[in-house]
Amino acid sequence: MEEKENLQEEVLEEKVEKDKPESEEKAEEKAEKPKRKSKTQAEMQRLIEENDRLQNYALRMKADMENIKKRNENIARDMYNDGRFDTILSFLPVVDNLERAMALEMPDGIKDGLSKVKKQIDSIFEKLNITEIESLGQDFDPNLHNALMQVEDETNSGKCVTVYEKGYKIKDKILRHASVVVAK
């Protein structure tokens, strides 16, 4: 009995399907297709936006990494230069004392030995681009000179008349200002 009822239902469904006009079938298909297209298009749009977002994120991350790399390079260079400057600064009093010793009267053998050491130091300074700040007879420049005192001298007014301690620089960076006496 159940089989008969199932068969009858199937026959009825087929008959209803056959009796539908073709335009209704096409209308149903068209109604279904735009829904699928709109879902597909929406999904496609979502994926495109997601792709754009991820590409922008990747570009930002790449730029951040490049900035970090440059910053680290600058930090490393600055640390190296600071260490180098500190080492040279701690060495300058030795150079000053060597020059003072060479100015004293002493046997020629000792003086020759000191002058050879001074030549080695000058050679090292040349390799490191360390130059002495010219001061004696030059106009006083607060960027280069440290005035210890002033003396009355109308002919050399504004000039450095005595150098107590030489100044040094590497390229344009001052290692130590020259300590000078300035004429009024």
Side-chain angles (χ1 to χ4, degrees):
M1 206 59 178
E2 284 180 58
E3 288 180 13
K4 259 186 174 181
E5 288 176 0
N6 286 340
L7 261 174
Q8 285 176 352
E9 287 177 12
E10 287 178 16
V11 169
L12 277 173
E13 286 177 12
E14 288 178 12
K15 195 173 186 184
V16 169
E17 290 288 322
K18 287 180 184 177
D19 290 338
K20 275 187 184 177
E22 284 184 37
S23 60
E24 267 185 48
E25 288 178 23
K26 288 181 183 177
E28 284 180 13
E29 287 176 16
K30 286 181 183 178
E32 289 178 18
K33 285 184 183 176
K35 288 180 184 175
R36 287 184 189 156
K37 281 187 179 179
S38 66
K39 286 181 182 178
T40 306
Q41 287 174 345
E43 181 67 15
M44 180 66 101
Q45 185 64 31
R46 187 189 68 75
L47 291 173
I48 288 171
E49 289 171 0
E50 180 72 10
N51 185 34
D52 289 345
R53 187 182 68 77
L54 291 173
Q55 283 181 343
N56 287 336
Y57 180 75
L59 287 173
R60 282 193 309 274
M61 289 298 108
K62 182 179 177 185
D64 286 347
M65 289 305 296
E66 288 174 8
N67 289 338
I68 289 169
K69 181 180 175 186
K70 287 177 186 176
R71 190 177 326 123
N72 286 341
E73 287 172 356
N74 290 339
I75 289 170
R77 185 184 62 245
D78 290 346
M79 287 176 65
Y80 172 78
N81 286 336
D82 288 347
R84 196 172 113 186
F85 293 153
D86 290 344
T87 302
I88 294 166
L89 279 174
S90 63
F91 186 65
L92 290 179
V94 175
V95 174
D96 293 337
N97 289 332
L98 178 65
E99 289 176 348
R100 286 184 196 110
M102 288 176 59
L104 299 174
E105 289 295 321
M106 61 184 74
D108 286 340
I110 294 174
K111 199 165 198 149
D112 288 342
L114 292 177
S115 68
K116 288 179 182 179
V117 171
K118 177 69 170 111
K119 284 181 186 177
Q120 285 179 327
I121 291 171
D122 290 342
S123 172
I124 291 169
F125 278 12
E126 187 177 323
K127 287 178 186 175
L128 296 174
N129 293 319
I130 299 171
T131 55
E132 181 182 326
I133 297 172
E134 293 296 322
S135 300
L136 192 59
Q138 302 292 318
D139 288 334
F140 175 76
D141 181 354
N143 296 317
L144 303 174
H145 304 114
N146 180 24
L148 298 177
M149 68 173 92
Q150 289 184 327
V151 293
E152 294 291 331
D153 186 352
E154 293 177 15
T155 58
N156 292 319
S157 181
K159 296 191 183 285
C160 301
V161 291
T162 307
V163 177
Y164 279 112
E165 191 174 64
K166 291 181 179 179
Y168 293 93
K169 63 183 179 175
I170 295 179
K171 296 181 183 174
D172 292 333
K173 183 167 177 145
I174 304 295
L175 286 170
R176 180 175 78 184
H177 292 80
S179 296
V180 296
V181 175
V182 182
K184 288 190 203 177

